[in-house]
Amino acid sequence: MDKELVLNIAYYYVITVAKSKPYNIQMKAILNEFNNKSIDINSYIETFETFNNNNEAFICKDFVYKNNLATYRKFYIASPSLYLYYTFQVFELYFDITKNIFNSSNIDIYYSGIVKENFKEIKENCDFNNQYEKYKKKQSEYKNNYVLITDIANFFDSISIDALLRKCDSLISSYRGREAINNLKSLFIKFNIVSLPQLHYSIASSLLSQIYLVDITKEVDQLLQQNNWVGVRFVDDFCINLNKKFTYKDINKFLHEYSNLLYRENLNLNLSKTKRLTPKNFEKL
């Protein structure tokens, strides 16, 4: 796909998200910088070194609290130009690898948005709530069944940049993908980022997190097939529909094998959120 087209997709994706969240500090900065302005395409399709020399690129830490108002997520705020450059490079990588990278037969996968070539679908596809509602709708089909729920502890913080880029390198299919990896590597080194960063409403980081799970997803898909189970995942939140003939031994065996797969990638189950739920408790959830 032409670089200019990918950049325009990234630009309209970022702008559309910003317009839907105008009071968020990151989105407000993006609207102030880009709204009703054309971008200098040439400055974005260059290497990161050239981009950094020609733009005021910076990033700083931010705090976003969870519902309990005591636990926070490690977020970043980036200059609008850097936010767009990061998104563009990840889109370049994504389109190089494959559009169907997140497909699996026994797991329905949702994340913060959907990336497609069609500009007309960007407004719907970039809405976090749309994707989350689709996840919840699929999850609700498991009603009246026993389910197993789990997620990954400190998911983004546990994904090291070195391991992530190695994973991307194993999946690329062209020189364009190699360029994107090199530019992302330079960006991360420049700002001393060692684990996958969370930026406000960033589809880019969400895409990278799912790329990191590609190998695990394939093997977990096979584990579900062996048990005649199906599951649905939103980013790292995983809900599995257990068939009526399951035993505790089946669940323990699955969790043991799943934990081994995660451990291989320096990830761990969040044990406090790993539960087998009865139909009644699942309905409450």
Side-chain angles (χ1 to χ4, degrees):
M1 191 186 302
D2 180 76
K3 274 182 177 287
E4 186 172 335
L5 175 59
V6 177
L7 176 59
N8 280 324
I9 292 172
Y11 172 73
Y12 282 108
Y13 202 107
V14 168
I15 285 293
T16 303
V17 172
K19 288 180 178 178
S20 71
K21 307 290 182 183
Y23 301 110
N24 173 273
I25 188 171
Q26 176 71 77
M27 300 297 105
K28 188 172 183 178
I30 287 171
L31 290 176
N32 288 341
E33 178 73 19
F34 293 131
N35 206 11
N36 300 319
K37 297 178 183 178
S38 59
I39 60 172
D40 181 5
I41 292 174
N42 291 328
S43 70
Y44 284 92
I45 61 176
E46 298 289 348
T47 65
F48 175 74
E49 286 77 11
T50 302
F51 165 81
N52 190 50
N53 289 335
N54 296 330
N55 292 272
E56 188 181 1
F58 63 86
I59 192 168
C60 61
K61 292 182 179 179
D62 187 26
F63 293 96
V64 175
Y65 286 90
K66 296 184 179 181
N67 293 334
N68 60 18
L69 299 181
T71 309
Y72 62 87
R73 302 178 188 274
K74 297 176 183 177
F75 264 66
Y76 290 89
I77 296 175
S79 57
S81 60
L82 182 64
Y83 191 102
L84 176 57
Y85 186 84
Y86 176 53
T87 305
F88 166 53
Q89 295 302 324
V90 173
F91 280 20
E92 278 273 271
L93 185 61
Y94 171 76
F95 283 121
D96 173 83
I97 292 174
T98 175
K99 299 171 190 175
N100 301 314
I101 194 169
F102 306 142
N103 286 358
S104 95
S105 57
N106 296 284
I107 308 172
D108 291 290
I109 299 171
Y110 299 93
Y111 47 103
S112 298
I114 301 294
V115 179
K116 294 184 178 179
E117 300 173 33
N118 192 336
F119 283 85
K120 294 180 181 179
E121 297 179 1
I122 287 178
K123 186 173 183 180
E124 178 181 355
N125 290 338
C126 74
D127 191 326
F128 172 94
N129 291 326
N130 284 345
Q131 301 309 311
Y132 189 70
E133 285 304 314
K134 289 179 181 179
Y135 161 71
K136 297 298 288 185
K137 183 178 180 180
K138 186 66 182 180
Q139 193 182 50
S140 69
E141 295 177 10
Y142 301 169
K143 185 179 178 182
N144 301 322
N145 289 282
Y146 284 85
V147 301
L148 177 66
I149 61 169
T150 187
D151 75 353
I152 299 172
N154 301 316
F155 181 44
F156 277 68
D157 290 341
S158 298
I159 300 177
S160 80
I161 292 302
D162 288 343
L164 171 64
L165 295 181
R166 285 197 301 271
K167 182 76 66 179
C168 292
D169 187 62
S170 70
L171 296 167
I172 58 173
S173 60
S174 74
Y175 181 72
R176 287 272 293 277
R178 165 61 55 197
E179 284 184 319
I181 290 174
N182 288 338
N183 288 329
L184 288 171
K185 182 177 181 180
S186 297
L187 186 159
F188 293 136
I189 291 174
K190 166 68 178 178
F191 297 106
N192 298 313
I193 296 173
V194 296
S195 60
L196 183 59
Q198 296 188 70
L199 276 64
H200 290 269
Y201 300 104
S202 170
I203 181 62
S205 290
S206 184
L207 280 172
L208 289 176
S209 76
Q210 297 309 294
I211 290 173
Y212 191 73
L213 291 178
V214 164
D215 293 331
I216 290 176
T217 300
K218 290 178 181 177
E219 297 189 58
V220 172
D221 190 58
Q222 293 176 359
L223 294 178
L224 294 186
Q225 187 175 16
Q226 291 168 14
N227 287 287
N228 194 27
W229 298 344
V230 293
V232 59
R233 192 179 77 209
F234 185 82
V235 188
D236 66 315
D237 291 339
F238 200 9
C239 180
I240 298 169
N241 187 2
L242 307 171
N243 61 39
K244 294 180 180 179
K245 295 181 180 180
F246 79 90
T247 65
Y248 284 107
K249 182 178 179 181
D250 295 329
I251 294 176
N252 290 337
K253 184 173 183 291
F254 170 80
L255 288 174
H256 175 71
E257 292 173 326
Y258 184 33
S259 294
N260 282 341
L261 293 174
L262 293 174
Y263 184 73
R264 188 182 66 193
E265 303 288 357
N266 297 312
L267 302 172
N268 292 285
L269 282 177
N270 186 334
L271 295 180
S272 66
K273 293 185 178 180
T274 298
K275 301 175 182 178
R276 190 226 60 168
L277 298 177
T278 64
K280 184 178 180 179
N281 287 336
F282 179 60
E283 187 172 357
K284 288 181 180 179
L285 176 71

